[in-house]
Amino acid sequence: MNRKLKKLLLNWKVLLLIIFVAGSIATLAVRPLTYGIDIAGGVALIAQTERPVDSSTMEIVTDSLQERLNTFGLREVQIQAQGNDIVVVKVANVTSTEEANSLKKVIESQGVFYMEFNGVIFGTGKDITYVGVYQVKSDNSWAVPFRISKEAAEKFAELAKGKPGWPVDMFLDPPADSLLVVPRSIYDLMNSTAFNANAPEAPYLIERIESAFNTTTVVYANQSAEELKRLANGKQIVLAGVGAELVDELKAMNVSVRYIPKQSGVTDEEFIKKVLGLYGPYSLGAELAQGEPQTDVQITGHASNRFQAEQEARTVYTVLKSGSLPVKLKVIGMEFISPKLGESFKTQALYAGIAALMAVLLIVYLHYRSWKIAIPVASTSLSEVIIILGIAALIKWNLDLPSIAGIIAAIGTGVDQQIVITDELLGGDKSTKITRRSSTLKRIGRAFFIIFASAATTIAAMSLLLVYFVGTLKGFAVTTIIGVVIGTLITRPAYAEIAKYLVGEK
């Protein structure tokens, strides 16, 4: 290895490119890409509100639907508001009419919200008469004020008298009248003080849901479908992270069954909350344990930072609001996308990407008549694609066809800018070494002025698309922005160093 090549490989811009490519490959190896329904297959349901609503109301509707569908353990759910009365719900990997009809039922129902204390339901969504704007203070504490009906307040006062610190639970669409089948670790956590707020003497969560919702929890110990059916005794069976292989067998036995997978990275506590649709538990304040009915109450909390506090307060606000959705939804359209068709799209997109890189390689070669320029240009574009895919996997972005179109567009933009860099380097004079060095820096500076200007205008245009267009082109905007940012900050600077080595400063 000669001295100049060694110097190039140790250049920090080239090293940065190598690190990002290696990191992206490692990310893709441990966290596979996820795809939108136009590639993975699924169903799109189009719902219409009973009347046109304003943007803030539409935001509440979409947030509430997202929370509700998340409790059903669905992955790859996309909810988009279009106009003032249309909501599009896309769910990947749903291919049967039965599953789609279950989704339709969830969307068209206004949701069931419960407030529970000591195993007794003291209020539902109908008892929430007002939800105030949540507040987040400078110390990262938050509060969501709301008002409950007089009947709910009186019932709660009677239940809560003399029990400060006891857990107050809120549930959204819990698995009522069900046999909940869970792993041993989940069962042990539910059957402990982990969900008892500041009152270890209070009934455990497993007892509270049994009393409030007739939900019996059992440990999965490789029971057969027949044994689970016998245990359920007519109830719905909810398989929480276990027994996926029993779903079809139970359905064949005319048993209502739901399987909720446990995704990687989700803690047992988070999984329990998701399965039960549980928000809380919240510790009962001493002022509410006096036995005096109070209709104006609030839920408070504290987070480690302001962002988390905003998220927690917003979630509680949304859940309280979703107990009384401002409008009803009616599903007016349903469209299935075959996974086979999606697989075909994926294959075609792969071929299109390979063809694009080959075309880039050939055209650049014909332009410069030099493989030592053409190959680095194509290789840099390939590395850019790998980094974009690595980031998409890292942030769990659903790749759909518009997203792939954005990646191909980013390749085209990248090649243009690499040609600008190459042309600037090839266009210099050949005077003294010092003059040549100075001239090279000026030419690189001119090239990057064009690149930064182009990147700024592209990001500005795509940002408007991202913010104001929430339809399918959102994926195009996201991947284009990611590609432009990666190109501007990582791949183009690295290519400039490589190009200087190859054509500028031999």
Side-chain angles (χ1 to χ4, degrees), residues 43-92:
V43 64
L45 298 105
I46 302 170
Q48 186 174 32
T49 59
E50 61 182 346
R51 64 176 186 279
V53 298
D54 57 27
S55 58
S56 60
T57 304
M58 185 61 86
E59 188 176 357
I60 292 171
V61 171
T62 55
D63 286 350
S64 300
L65 276 178
Q66 188 76 59
E67 290 287 343
R68 193 167 300 164
L69 292 172
N70 285 345
T71 65
F72 277 72
L74 296 169
R75 296 183 63 188
E76 323 308 342
V77 178
Q78 296 179 28
I79 300 177
Q80 302 163 351
Q82 295 186 357
N84 58 4
D85 63 348
I86 296 295
V87 178
V88 179
V89 180
K90 296 180 179 178
V91 185

Side-chain angles (χ1 to χ4, degrees), residues 248-278:
D248 290 340
E249 194 174 349
L250 287 166
K251 285 182 178 177
M253 298 164 65
N254 294 320
V255 176
S256 176
V257 60
R258 185 152 63 95
Y259 172 70
I260 303 177
K262 187 173 185 289
Q263 299 171 9
S264 61
V266 176
T267 66
D268 283 352
E269 183 176 339
E270 291 169 341
F271 187 57
I272 290 170
K273 290 186 174 184
K274 181 176 182 178
V275 170
L276 298 178
L278 170 65

Side-chain angles (χ1 to χ4, degrees), residues 142 144 282 301-303 307-317:
W142 55 266
V144 183
Y282 301 100
H302 188 274
F307 176 76
Q308 188 177 349
E310 289 271 1
Q311 293 294 313
E312 291 180 5
R314 181 179 173 81
T315 298
V316 172
Y317 173 82

Side-chain angles (χ1 to χ4, degrees), residues 120-138:
V120 179
I121 297 168
F122 65 89
T124 66
K126 294 179 180 177
D127 291 302
I128 298 177
T129 58
Y130 167 78
V131 181
V133 178
Y134 63 82
Q135 300 173 342
V136 178
K137 297 182 179 178
S138 57

